Amino acid sequence: MEPTVFRDVDNTSYIAQNEVFGPVLAIIPHDGDADAVALSNATPYGLSGAVFTPDLDRAVAFAQQVSVGTFGINGYMLDFSLPFGGCK
């Protein structure tokens, strides 16, 4: 399967609310950090997340509000020596 990018995805659509396996990226527009947190938390899944920004304080504030098991800032690498699990 070729890598596929879906842009302007509505957060209530199937691809936004379900696990999709494969090289797929869904881009969901938002209206700022508070809206992005609300969109992120409006899913039945909470395995992992990440944010990419040069503003470390903003990234940490965002990470503290998102309901996921693990979270990466400016990257994501799972450390198998640590406990791992999602939430929700």
Side-chain angles (χ1 to χ4, degrees):
M1 176 183 220
E2 291 292 320
T4 305
V5 176
F6 294 89
R7 63 183 179 140
D8 298 322
V9 173
D10 183 276
N11 200 45
T12 61
S13 68
Y14 182 89
I15 195 170
Q17 292 296 320
N18 292 277
E19 293 182 304
V20 178
F21 297 96
V24 175
L25 174 66
I27 299 173
I28 303 169
H30 63 85
D31 292 321
D33 291 357
D35 188 40
V37 167
L39 291 168
S40 297
N41 290 335
T43 175
Y45 302 103
L47 187 57
S48 64
V51 67
F52 296 82
T53 177
D55 186 338
L56 185 58
D57 291 334
R58 182 179 177 196
V60 170
F62 188 89
Q64 291 173 334
Q65 298 175 69
V66 178
S67 298
V68 294
T70 58
F71 197 87
I73 296 175
N74 294 332
Y76 183 84
M77 181 178 289
L78 186 59
D79 183 344
F80 290 107
S81 68
L82 299 173
F84 177 75
C87 60
K88 299 189 214 177

